[in-house]
Amino acid sequence: MSQPTLDTIVNLSKKRGFVFQASEIYGGLRSSYDYGPLGVALLRNVKEQWWRSMVRMRDDVVGLDSAIIQATAVWEASGHLTEFTDPLVECTNCHARHRLDKLDNPDQCPTCGQSGTFTEPKDFNLMFKTHMGPVAQDGNEVYLRPETAQGIFTNFENVRRVSRRKLPFGIAQIGKSFRNEITPGQFIFRTREFEQMEMEFFTHPDDAEKWFEYWVEERKNWYLDLGMKPDNLRMRRHDPDELAHYAVDTYDVEYRFPWGWDELEGIANRTDFDLRQHAEHSGRDLTYFDQEADERFYPYVIEPAAGASRTTFAFLIDAYHQEEVNDETRTVLRLDPRLAPIKVAVLPLSKKPELVEVTEQVASALRPLWDVEVDVTQAIGRRYRRQDEVGTPYCVTVDFDTLDDGAVTVRDRDTMAQDRIGIDGVVAYLSDRLG
Ligand code: GAP
C-alpha cells in the first residue's frame, strides 16, 4: 500500500489523541506539540524498546541521564557555539526567512515566489539561549542542550570509573534536546523541542571502523525487527561535504516519509574529537590506559543518534493501513504489539451490569501485565474499529454466554479471527502472543 498522506496522519493523531498542537486553546504555538494519552504511550514504548536493545540486553553499554543545562564551556569545547549553525537567508520582498540548504531552488523564495530577492546567507546558531539566575546579564548566559551526546562525553571518566568498564563500552541516554530550527515543520518531524536516543560507543581507534559497520547494521535491524517495512527504510552514507564538524564518516537511517526519503537516525564515527576537545578545554585527562597493552590513548567514538519523536512518527506512518471489509473501509494501525499503546481492550457486548462486572474482573487480571482499556459504549463493531484504528492487537469480548460458560472471545487485530477462550486461559493465551 502507498504511504498515507501527512494530513491523514495529522488528523488521526488529533482525532485519537496521539499528538495535539501545543497551546492549542491560545491559537497554538508553531512547531510545538503535546503528546496525548495514546501518543505518550507509543513514544514511551519506542524509547523502552531502544533502551532494551541498547542497554538492558547488552553488557557493554550503561545508561546515563545528564542535565539539559550544562556549563557554557561544554558548548565552547564541543564546537556548538561556533559550528552549530545553519545558513539563513531572508527574502527582501516578503521578509520570510529560510534555511538555504533546504530550498529546492536556492534563488527563489518559496513564500512569495520572487527570484533574486535573498540576502547573503548568514550563519544562524541553532542553540536556545537563556540566563541562569534572577538577573539576565552578560556572563550568566546558558544554553539548552542541542544534543544529549555532550553530557555523555563530559561524564566519560566518571562512568568508566564507577562502572569499571574496559574498552569497548558505550554510554546511552534518552532525553530532550532543543534547536532553534529556522524551518521546523512536517508535524513532529522537525520541531524545536524534541527527544533523542543517543549512545556513544568508546573503542580503540584501530577498532573504530569495525564497530562503525557493526552499529550501522545493528541499528538498521532494530527498525526492521520492530516491523518497519523494509521498502520504507534505507541506509545512506554521507557525502564528505555534508559531514558534521565532528564526524569522519556517517550513515543516515532514512525513512520514506510522505514527502520523500528523510533522516531518522545518524550513525557517526566521531573519532576522538569530543574527548580531545573536552580534555583540552577542561584540563582533565580524558585518555584511556590499556593495562594489558601498556598503551594510553584517546578512545574513538561511534555514535548511533536517533530521534525518539521522529522515530515514533515514522512507526505511526508505517503502521497505517486501510482495507475494504464488507464494503466498509477499515483503518488499522499494524503496530508491532511491543509498540502498541494499548495491548488489550476488554469490551462487554452490552452495558448490562452483569457483563460490565465480568469485564472489570477480566481487565483487573490483565492490567498488571499489559496496558488495558475497557470500553463499554457503542455497538461492538464500532468499538472493534476504534481499537483497530489505534493499533490494539487484541480485543477480549465478554458476552451473555460468558455468564454461562466462563469463556470470552479474543479477536486478533490483523486477521480479525476470533477464538473462544476460558477466562482462566486468557492470560496464557495473550502471553503467548504479546510476550
Ligand atoms: N549527537 C548527534 C546528533 O545530535 P543529529 O543528526 O543532529 O545528530 C540525531 O540528531 C537525531 O535527532 C536525528 O537523526 C533526528 O532523528 C533527531 N533530530 C534532530 N533534530 C531534530 C528536530 N529538530 N526535531 C526532531 N528530531 C530531531
Side-chain angles (χ1 to χ4, degrees), residues 147 179 181 189 191 194 196 198 263-264 270 303 307:
E147 62 171 17
R179 296 183 189 178
E181 300 281 1
F189 177 81
T191 48
F194 55 97
Q196 288 187 307
E198 298 198 290
E263 176 188 338
L264 269 187
R270 291 182 80 126
E303 174 196 65

Side-chain angles (χ1 to χ4, degrees), residues 80 84 146-150 153 177-181 184-185 188-198 200 223 238 244 246 250 252-253 263-268 270 303-311:
H80 281 88
F84 197 57
E147 62 171 17
T148 63
Q150 295 305 322
F153 297 125
S177 292
F178 301 82
R179 296 183 189 178
N180 200 1
E181 300 281 1
I188 54 172
F189 177 81
R190 183 174 289 105
T191 48
R192 295 191 169 111
E193 171 184 347
F194 55 97
E195 270 193 283
Q196 288 187 307
M197 312 184 284
E198 298 198 290
E200 311 301 320
Y223 294 94
H238 276 206
Y246 49 72
T250 297
D252 278 350
V253 182
E263 176 188 338
L264 269 187
E265 165 165 359
I267 301 129
R270 291 182 80 126
E303 174 196 65
S309 6
R310 206 177 266 190
T311 301

Side-chain angles (χ1 to χ4, degrees), residues 112-337:
C112 68
Q114 293 276 320
S115 293
T117 52
F118 282 143
T119 55
E120 281 299 302
K122 71 173 189 209
D123 288 338
F124 174 75
N125 194 294
L126 298 183
M127 280 201 295
F128 273 100
K129 196 195 302 192
T130 183
H131 291 86
M132 194 100 148
V135 186
Q137 61 188 20
D138 281 355
N140 67 358
E141 299 98 348
V142 286
Y143 296 87
L144 305 187
R145 67 179 176 201
E147 62 171 17
T148 63
Q150 295 305 322
I152 297 180
F153 297 125
T154 55
N155 278 294
F156 167 70
E157 188 49 24
N158 282 338
V159 175
R160 187 202 63 75
R161 193 183 65 249
V162 298
S163 62
R164 292 176 293 137
R165 297 282 151 168
K166 286 186 178 165
L167 292 187
F169 74 92
I171 306 176
Q173 160 152 245
I174 297 177
K176 289 237 166 153
S177 292
F178 301 82
R179 296 183 189 178
N180 200 1
E181 300 281 1
I182 298 169
T183 41
Q186 277 120 343
F187 197 39
I188 54 172
F189 177 81
R190 183 174 289 105
T191 48
R192 295 191 169 111
E193 171 184 347
F194 55 97
E195 270 193 283
Q196 288 187 307
M197 312 184 284
E198 298 198 290
M199 197 272 286
E200 311 301 320
F201 196 77
F202 301 90
T203 161
H204 189 286
D206 292 348
D207 298 332
E209 187 56 37
K210 181 184 82 185
W211 283 110
F212 179 65
E213 283 163 22
Y214 169 86
W215 282 111
V216 167
E217 200 54 27
E218 273 298 286
R219 293 304 305 145
K220 181 179 82 186
N221 290 336
W222 183 79
Y223 294 94
L224 296 175
D225 177 60
L226 284 170
M228 201 166 267
K229 296 185 190 93
D231 286 353
N232 290 340
L233 199 70
R234 75 176 187 193
M235 309 300 285
R236 189 183 67 79
R237 198 171 203 154
H238 276 206
D239 290 333
D241 62 353
E242 49 172 336
L243 289 169
H245 65 275
Y246 49 72
V248 291
D249 205 351
T250 297
Y251 265 97
D252 278 350
V253 182
E254 291 191 335
Y255 182 73
R256 193 202 299 269
F257 284 95
W259 57 90
W261 290 101
D262 222 329
E263 176 188 338
L264 269 187
E265 165 165 359
I267 301 129
N269 179 348
R270 291 182 80 126
T271 70
D272 55 6
F273 175 85
D274 301 273
L275 288 182
R276 265 186 199 279
Q277 287 292 109
H278 287 302
E280 278 165 24
H281 281 73
S282 68
R284 295 290 182 91
D285 180 5
L286 299 180
T287 56
Y288 176 85
F289 182 61
D290 183 336
Q291 276 181 331
E292 278 154 43
D294 192 24
E295 185 190 7
R296 183 171 287 283
F297 55 89
Y298 282 103
Y300 267 37
V301 171
I302 307 302
E303 174 196 65
S309 6
R310 206 177 266 190
T311 301
T312 299
F313 186 28
F315 276 120
L316 198 56
I317 296 168
D318 209 64
Y320 189 89
H321 181 81
Q322 283 197 319
E323 61 192 17
E324 293 303 310
V325 178
N326 300 333
D327 295 332
E328 261 187 52
T329 304
R330 176 172 97 113
T331 301
V332 50
L333 278 191
R334 294 208 155 135
L335 287 168
D336 184 285

Side-chain angles (χ1 to χ4, degrees), residues 342-371:
I342 303 164
K343 311 288 188 227
V344 192
V346 191
L347 317 170
L349 194 61
S350 90
K351 279 188 194 162
K352 289 246 158 36
E354 55 271 40
L355 292 194
V356 173
E357 193 186 325
V358 180
T359 300
E360 285 301 342
Q361 285 165 7
V362 173
S364 302
L366 303 181
R367 272 204 184 100
L369 299 163
W370 301 291
D371 292 292

